[in-house]
Short mmCIF file of all heavy atoms in Angstrom, two decimals:
data_model
loop_
_atom_site.label_atom_id
_atom_site.label_comp_id
_atom_site.label_asym_id
_atom_site.label_seq_id
_atom_site.Cartn_x
_atom_site.Cartn_y
_atom_site.Cartn_z
N LYS F 198 84.12 91.46 88.96
CA LYS F 198 83.83 90.21 89.70
C LYS F 198 84.95 89.21 89.35
O LYS F 198 85.29 88.89 88.21
CB LYS F 198 82.54 89.65 89.24
CG LYS F 198 82.12 88.43 90.07
CD LYS F 198 80.70 87.94 89.78
CE LYS F 198 80.27 86.81 90.64
NZ LYS F 198 81.06 85.63 90.36
N ILE F 199 85.64 88.74 90.38
CA ILE F 199 86.68 87.67 90.26
C ILE F 199 86.13 86.34 90.59
O ILE F 199 85.59 86.10 91.72
CB ILE F 199 87.89 88.00 91.26
CG1 ILE F 199 88.53 89.39 90.79
CG2 ILE F 199 88.98 86.95 91.09
CD1 ILE F 199 89.43 89.96 91.79
N GLU F 200 86.14 85.47 89.56
CA GLU F 200 85.54 84.11 89.79
C GLU F 200 86.25 83.24 90.81
O GLU F 200 85.71 82.55 91.55
CB GLU F 200 85.51 83.37 88.40
CG GLU F 200 84.62 84.09 87.36
CD GLU F 200 83.20 83.98 87.59
OE1 GLU F 200 82.72 83.40 88.60
OE2 GLU F 200 82.43 84.64 86.82
N ASP F 201 87.54 83.29 90.80
CA ASP F 201 88.38 82.47 91.65
C ASP F 201 89.50 83.30 92.23
O ASP F 201 90.48 83.59 91.52
CB ASP F 201 88.92 81.30 90.91
CG ASP F 201 89.68 80.32 91.75
OD1 ASP F 201 90.31 80.78 92.77
OD2 ASP F 201 89.77 79.11 91.39
N GLN F 202 89.48 83.76 93.42
CA GLN F 202 90.33 84.67 94.03
C GLN F 202 91.69 83.95 94.06
O GLN F 202 92.76 84.64 93.90
CB GLN F 202 89.86 84.94 95.47
CG GLN F 202 90.50 86.09 96.16
CD GLN F 202 90.43 87.42 95.46
OE1 GLN F 202 89.32 87.79 94.97
NE2 GLN F 202 91.44 88.23 95.37
N ALA F 203 91.78 82.78 94.41
CA ALA F 203 93.12 82.08 94.49
C ALA F 203 93.85 82.03 93.14
O ALA F 203 95.03 82.30 93.06
CB ALA F 203 92.98 80.62 95.07
N LEU F 204 93.14 81.79 92.11
CA LEU F 204 93.68 81.76 90.78
C LEU F 204 94.18 83.12 90.40
O LEU F 204 95.24 83.32 89.93
CB LEU F 204 92.77 81.16 89.77
CG LEU F 204 93.17 81.06 88.39
CD1 LEU F 204 94.45 80.22 88.17
CD2 LEU F 204 92.08 80.53 87.38
N PHE F 205 93.38 84.20 90.64
CA PHE F 205 93.67 85.50 90.36
C PHE F 205 94.91 85.91 91.02
O PHE F 205 95.89 86.43 90.47
CB PHE F 205 92.49 86.39 90.72
CG PHE F 205 92.72 87.87 90.60
CD1 PHE F 205 92.72 88.49 89.38
CD2 PHE F 205 92.92 88.71 91.69
CE1 PHE F 205 92.98 89.89 89.24
CE2 PHE F 205 93.21 90.04 91.66
CZ PHE F 205 93.15 90.59 90.31
N SER F 206 94.98 85.64 92.31
CA SER F 206 96.15 85.92 93.17
C SER F 206 97.46 85.24 92.54
O SER F 206 98.57 85.84 92.47
CB SER F 206 95.98 85.51 94.57
OG SER F 206 97.11 85.58 95.31
N GLN F 207 97.26 83.98 92.15
CA GLN F 207 98.38 83.17 91.63
C GLN F 207 98.88 83.86 90.27
O GLN F 207 100.09 84.04 90.09
CB GLN F 207 97.94 81.76 91.33
CG GLN F 207 98.96 80.80 91.15
CD GLN F 207 98.55 79.41 90.77
OE1 GLN F 207 97.27 79.19 90.59
NE2 GLN F 207 99.38 78.43 90.66
N ILE F 208 98.05 84.28 89.42
CA ILE F 208 98.32 84.86 88.15
C ILE F 208 99.02 86.21 88.41
O ILE F 208 100.15 86.43 87.79
CB ILE F 208 97.03 85.10 87.22
CG1 ILE F 208 96.58 83.71 86.81
CG2 ILE F 208 97.35 85.93 86.08
CD1 ILE F 208 95.24 83.71 86.09
N VAL F 209 98.53 87.01 89.26
CA VAL F 209 99.16 88.31 89.48
C VAL F 209 100.55 88.21 90.11
O VAL F 209 101.51 88.84 89.74
CB VAL F 209 98.20 89.21 90.43
CG1 VAL F 209 98.92 90.46 90.83
CG2 VAL F 209 96.88 89.43 89.71
N THR F 210 100.64 87.29 91.06
CA THR F 210 101.90 87.00 91.79
C THR F 210 102.93 86.55 90.77
O THR F 210 104.09 87.06 90.67
CB THR F 210 101.74 85.97 92.93
OG1 THR F 210 100.71 86.50 93.86
CG2 THR F 210 102.96 85.84 93.69
N GLN F 211 102.54 85.61 89.92
CA GLN F 211 103.43 85.03 88.99
C GLN F 211 103.89 86.07 87.90
O GLN F 211 105.03 86.17 87.54
CB GLN F 211 102.78 83.80 88.32
CG GLN F 211 103.93 82.95 87.82
CD GLN F 211 103.47 81.42 88.03
OE1 GLN F 211 103.02 81.11 89.06
NE2 GLN F 211 103.58 80.63 86.91
N ALA F 212 102.96 86.83 87.38
CA ALA F 212 103.27 87.82 86.37
C ALA F 212 104.20 88.87 86.88
O ALA F 212 105.07 89.23 86.18
CB ALA F 212 101.96 88.51 85.88
N PHE F 213 104.07 89.36 88.08
CA PHE F 213 104.92 90.37 88.59
C PHE F 213 106.14 89.74 89.32
O PHE F 213 107.13 90.46 89.41
CB PHE F 213 104.25 91.25 89.56
CG PHE F 213 103.24 92.31 88.98
CD1 PHE F 213 101.90 92.10 88.99
CD2 PHE F 213 103.84 93.32 88.21
CE1 PHE F 213 101.03 93.00 88.36
CE2 PHE F 213 102.90 94.23 87.67
CZ PHE F 213 101.61 94.06 87.75
N GLY F 214 106.16 88.47 89.54
CA GLY F 214 107.39 87.82 90.13
C GLY F 214 108.51 87.88 89.24
O GLY F 214 109.67 87.86 89.50
N GLN F 215 108.16 87.84 87.88
CA GLN F 215 109.17 87.91 86.83
C GLN F 215 108.75 89.01 85.85
O GLN F 215 108.42 88.84 84.74
CB GLN F 215 109.23 86.61 86.10
CG GLN F 215 109.49 85.44 86.97
CD GLN F 215 109.29 84.07 86.22
OE1 GLN F 215 108.17 83.79 85.69
NE2 GLN F 215 110.32 83.37 86.06
N ARG F 216 108.83 90.23 86.38
CA ARG F 216 108.15 91.41 85.72
C ARG F 216 108.90 91.75 84.44
O ARG F 216 108.33 92.55 83.67
CB ARG F 216 107.88 92.60 86.67
CG ARG F 216 109.14 93.15 87.32
CD ARG F 216 108.72 94.25 88.33
NE ARG F 216 107.98 95.33 87.67
CZ ARG F 216 107.01 96.02 88.16
NH1 ARG F 216 106.49 95.71 89.34
NH2 ARG F 216 106.55 97.03 87.49
N ARG F 217 110.08 91.35 84.30
CA ARG F 217 110.82 91.73 83.11
C ARG F 217 110.57 90.73 81.89
O ARG F 217 110.83 91.02 80.79
CB ARG F 217 112.34 91.83 83.33
CG ARG F 217 112.76 92.71 84.50
CD ARG F 217 114.14 92.90 84.60
NE ARG F 217 114.78 93.63 83.45
CZ ARG F 217 114.57 94.98 83.18
NH1 ARG F 217 113.97 95.66 84.10
NH2 ARG F 217 115.06 95.41 82.10
N LYS F 218 109.95 89.67 82.26
CA LYS F 218 109.58 88.68 81.21
C LYS F 218 108.24 89.10 80.59
O LYS F 218 107.43 89.68 81.11
CB LYS F 218 109.38 87.32 81.79
CG LYS F 218 110.71 86.67 82.23
CD LYS F 218 110.38 85.22 82.41
CE LYS F 218 111.77 84.53 82.85
NZ LYS F 218 111.52 83.04 83.17
N THR F 219 107.98 88.61 79.38
CA THR F 219 106.67 88.74 78.79
C THR F 219 105.71 87.93 79.55
O THR F 219 106.03 86.92 80.16
CB THR F 219 106.70 88.29 77.27
OG1 THR F 219 106.90 86.88 77.25
CG2 THR F 219 107.79 89.03 76.48
N LEU F 220 104.32 88.28 79.31
CA LEU F 220 103.40 87.48 80.00
C LEU F 220 103.30 86.05 79.50
O LEU F 220 103.09 85.14 80.28
CB LEU F 220 102.00 88.07 79.73
CG LEU F 220 101.76 89.54 80.43
CD1 LEU F 220 100.53 90.19 79.82
CD2 LEU F 220 101.62 89.38 81.92
N ARG F 221 103.59 85.87 78.23
CA ARG F 221 103.58 84.50 77.70
C ARG F 221 104.60 83.63 78.51
O ARG F 221 104.25 82.55 78.88
CB ARG F 221 103.98 84.51 76.22
CG ARG F 221 104.14 83.12 75.61
CD ARG F 221 104.52 83.01 74.16
NE ARG F 221 103.48 83.42 73.27
CZ ARG F 221 103.57 84.52 72.39
NH1 ARG F 221 104.54 85.22 72.39
NH2 ARG F 221 102.57 84.81 71.65
N ASN F 222 105.79 84.21 78.84
CA ASN F 222 106.72 83.43 79.56
C ASN F 222 106.45 83.25 80.98
O ASN F 222 106.59 82.18 81.53
CB ASN F 222 108.10 84.00 79.32
CG ASN F 222 108.61 83.63 77.86
OD1 ASN F 222 108.22 82.67 77.32
ND2 ASN F 222 109.49 84.59 77.38
N SER F 223 106.02 84.39 81.67
CA SER F 223 105.87 84.36 83.09
C SER F 223 104.63 83.56 83.41
O SER F 223 104.59 82.98 84.49
CB SER F 223 105.88 85.80 83.65
OG SER F 223 104.69 86.46 83.17
N LEU F 224 103.63 83.54 82.55
CA LEU F 224 102.37 82.88 82.88
C LEU F 224 102.15 81.47 82.06
O LEU F 224 101.12 80.91 82.03
CB LEU F 224 101.18 83.75 82.59
CG LEU F 224 101.17 85.06 83.45
CD1 LEU F 224 100.00 85.89 83.02
CD2 LEU F 224 101.09 84.75 84.90
N ARG F 225 103.36 81.00 81.56
CA ARG F 225 103.32 79.88 80.69
C ARG F 225 102.42 78.71 81.23
O ARG F 225 101.66 78.08 80.54
CB ARG F 225 104.73 79.29 80.45
CG ARG F 225 104.87 78.30 79.25
CD ARG F 225 106.33 78.10 79.05
NE ARG F 225 107.07 79.09 78.29
CZ ARG F 225 106.94 79.40 77.06
NH1 ARG F 225 106.11 78.61 76.30
NH2 ARG F 225 107.65 80.32 76.51
N GLU F 226 102.58 78.41 82.51
CA GLU F 226 101.85 77.24 83.13
C GLU F 226 100.38 77.61 83.41
O GLU F 226 99.62 76.64 83.65
CB GLU F 226 102.49 76.83 84.40
CG GLU F 226 103.87 76.20 84.30
CD GLU F 226 104.98 77.01 84.85
OE1 GLU F 226 104.76 77.33 86.07
OE2 GLU F 226 105.94 77.49 84.22
N LEU F 227 100.13 78.78 83.38
CA LEU F 227 98.70 79.17 83.82
C LEU F 227 97.75 79.59 82.66
O LEU F 227 96.59 79.33 82.65
CB LEU F 227 98.75 80.30 84.82
CG LEU F 227 99.44 79.92 86.14
CD1 LEU F 227 99.69 81.13 86.98
CD2 LEU F 227 98.49 78.93 87.02
N ILE F 228 98.31 80.22 81.63
CA ILE F 228 97.60 80.87 80.55
C ILE F 228 98.04 80.40 79.25
O ILE F 228 99.21 80.59 78.85
CB ILE F 228 97.65 82.43 80.58
CG1 ILE F 228 97.39 82.93 82.12
CG2 ILE F 228 96.72 83.09 79.63
CD1 ILE F 228 95.99 83.05 82.53
N SER F 229 97.17 79.75 78.40
CA SER F 229 97.56 79.36 77.13
C SER F 229 97.47 80.54 76.05
O SER F 229 96.76 81.55 76.38
CB SER F 229 96.59 78.21 76.59
OG SER F 229 95.33 78.78 76.62
N ASP F 230 98.01 80.34 74.93
CA ASP F 230 97.87 81.40 73.90
C ASP F 230 96.43 81.67 73.49
O ASP F 230 96.01 82.66 73.12
CB ASP F 230 98.63 80.93 72.62
CG ASP F 230 100.11 81.42 72.75
OD1 ASP F 230 100.41 82.17 73.77
OD2 ASP F 230 100.94 81.03 71.88
N GLU F 231 95.61 80.56 73.59
CA GLU F 231 94.14 80.65 73.26
C GLU F 231 93.46 81.63 74.23
O GLU F 231 92.60 82.49 73.87
CB GLU F 231 93.42 79.29 73.26
CG GLU F 231 93.83 78.30 72.12
CD GLU F 231 95.35 77.76 72.25
OE1 GLU F 231 95.66 77.46 73.46
OE2 GLU F 231 95.97 77.59 71.30
N ILE F 232 93.80 81.39 75.52
CA ILE F 232 93.19 82.33 76.48
C ILE F 232 93.57 83.84 76.28
O ILE F 232 92.78 84.75 76.35
CB ILE F 232 93.44 81.89 77.90
CG1 ILE F 232 92.87 80.44 78.08
CG2 ILE F 232 93.02 82.84 78.97
CD1 ILE F 232 93.19 79.83 79.44
N PHE F 233 94.93 84.09 75.97
CA PHE F 233 95.39 85.39 75.68
C PHE F 233 94.53 85.92 74.43
O PHE F 233 94.11 87.06 74.56
CB PHE F 233 96.88 85.40 75.29
CG PHE F 233 97.82 85.44 76.50
CD1 PHE F 233 98.58 84.39 76.77
CD2 PHE F 233 97.84 86.58 77.33
CE1 PHE F 233 99.48 84.35 77.86
CE2 PHE F 233 98.62 86.57 78.51
CZ PHE F 233 99.45 85.47 78.72
#
Side-chain angles (χ1 to χ4, degrees):
K198 186 169 183 296
I199 296 169
E200 298 290 356
D201 181 335
Q202 191 64 40
L204 179 60
F205 176 73
S206 167
Q207 197 185 3
I208 289 172
V209 173
T210 304
Q211 203 145 316
F213 285 107
Q215 303 170 298
R216 59 185 297 144
R217 305 191 62 78
K218 288 195 177 176
T219 64
L220 292 166
R221 177 182 286 120
N222 286 333
S223 60
L224 297 177
R225 193 175 285 285
E226 292 114 56
L227 295 166
I228 312 279
S229 64
D230 276 352
E231 290 72 39
I232 295 174
F233 278 115

